[in-house]
Amino acid sequence: MEDWREEERWLFFSPHDDDLAIGGGLLMAIASAEGVSQRARIVTDGRMGYTSVTGADEIVRVRQEETAASFQVLGVEDYAWYGYPDSQLHLHLGRRAAAQGGQGDPHGVAGFCGLQNSCTAELRSFRPTRVFIMSSADYHPDHKLVHQEVLISLFHAGGDIWPELGPPLEETPRVYEIAAYCPFVEAPDLEIRAGAALFEKKISSIEAFASQAQIAHLVEGLRRGGPVEYVRTFPFTFYDSRRYEALFSPEGG
């Protein structure tokens, strides 16, 4: 990766608990081996991931146990859940005052809740050099909404708004997309290749999610693809009118 820092700090926002292992298990395992400081935040509670009627009441607890086992394989120690309801993120966008006493609102921070509040607070707390999100092309609405809310939270985190969430970022982190289920919107520009041992670590980290009936099918597809992952540098930047001046100059016309 270009612009490598002396102290790298990587922040992963994962819509669901298994997304990172599937799309970025090699990346995270390599980063762990290299001593990169990593933090993973799982946005939803996975309550819609049950595959039997009898398992519906236990699935959140089960998936948390599976996540712990998965991240242990990858060497990731700093992880936590925001606890937003799976498949209901559209009800928790933006930021609003938390309910009195915090009842009924997932992940309140500084008296407020909502995904932009959670992400902005996380960015200011961890102060990452790089941020990883799932591709906006993924079909699942939760993936698209986390992508959207992280990007606007990067804007918030670098400004003076909401000072109770911590001091603004002094520098905007680099942003990257990883893919698990759908192709990238545009071609990726980074390739991660690993040996057999690290690849088996990734596979083991995915197989930890035994409650998910589709995991075996996913593993089969990953084995066909081999020990490789792709990452796309996301062109996160702010508007600057100078970018377009040349289009309207006599030379550019």
Side-chain angles (χ1 to χ4, degrees):
M1 291 181 179
E2 62 183 75
D3 192 31
W4 190 266
R5 316 286 179 84
E6 184 176 342
E7 184 182 353
E8 286 286 324
R9 299 171 63 81
W10 294 6
L11 178 56
F12 293 81
F13 286 104
S14 185
H16 307 99
D17 43 29
D18 55 358
D19 294 328
L20 291 179
I22 295 168
L26 285 181
L27 176 65
M28 299 185 86
I30 291 171
S32 295
E34 294 294 327
V36 174
S37 177
Q38 299 182 84
R39 173 176 289 186
R41 291 298 179 258
I42 303 159
V43 174
T44 67
D45 58 10
R47 68 177 68 179
M48 291 299 173
Y50 61 90
T51 55
S52 70
V53 174
T54 56
D57 294 338
E58 295 293 320
I59 192 61
V60 172
R61 176 190 60 78
V62 168
R63 291 186 72 163
Q64 288 185 354
E65 293 173 356
E66 292 172 344
T67 302
S70 176
F71 279 144
Q72 183 176 20
V73 171
L74 296 176
V76 178
E77 299 179 355
D78 186 352
Y79 60 91
W81 292 262
Y82 289 158
Y84 290 102
D86 189 9
S87 298
Q88 296 180 43
L89 276 185
H90 62 287
L91 301 177
H92 299 275
L93 303 181
R95 186 183 197 244
R96 66 178 184 279
Q100 188 172 6
Q103 297 299 313
D105 286 324
H107 200 252
V109 180
F112 290 85
C113 61
L115 198 47
Q116 287 179 37
N117 192 67
S118 297
C119 294
T120 302
E122 201 73 64
L123 288 161
R124 288 182 177 171
S125 170
F126 191 61
R127 311 186 82 77
T129 56
R130 304 179 198 275
V131 171
F132 296 84
I133 51 181
M134 304 303 295
S135 169
S136 63
D138 275 349
Y139 300 138
H140 200 304
D142 286 350
H143 289 219
K144 295 179 182 295
L145 292 175
V146 172
H147 189 283
Q148 162 191 307
E149 295 292 271
V150 169
L151 293 183
I152 188 60
S153 296
L154 281 163
F155 174 79
H156 295 325
D160 295 322
I161 195 172
W162 309 340
E164 65 272 22
L165 298 182
L169 297 182
E170 297 175 355
E171 189 173 349
T172 303
R174 304 273 293 182
V175 181
Y176 303 87
E177 290 183 326
I178 59 179
Y181 306 104
C182 307
F184 292 100
V185 174
E186 296 182 16
D189 56 329
L190 297 171
E191 182 183 67
I192 295 94
R193 284 196 173 271
L198 276 180
F199 185 51
E200 289 305 317
K201 266 193 175 183
K202 170 175 176 161
I203 295 300
S204 295
S205 74
I206 298 169
E207 290 177 334
F209 293 96
S211 69
Q212 305 303 289
Q214 71 277 16
I215 285 297
H217 177 69
L218 285 168
V219 167
E220 182 181 341
L222 289 168
R223 285 198 179 279
R224 287 195 299 269
V228 61
E229 289 174 351
Y230 294 97
V231 177
R232 175 178 177 251
T233 303
F234 187 82
F236 182 83
T237 187
F238 300 112
Y239 178 74
D240 186 339
S241 62
R242 293 171 296 181
R243 176 189 297 263
Y244 306 104
E245 285 181 334
L247 298 175
F248 298 90
S249 68
E251 296 80 5

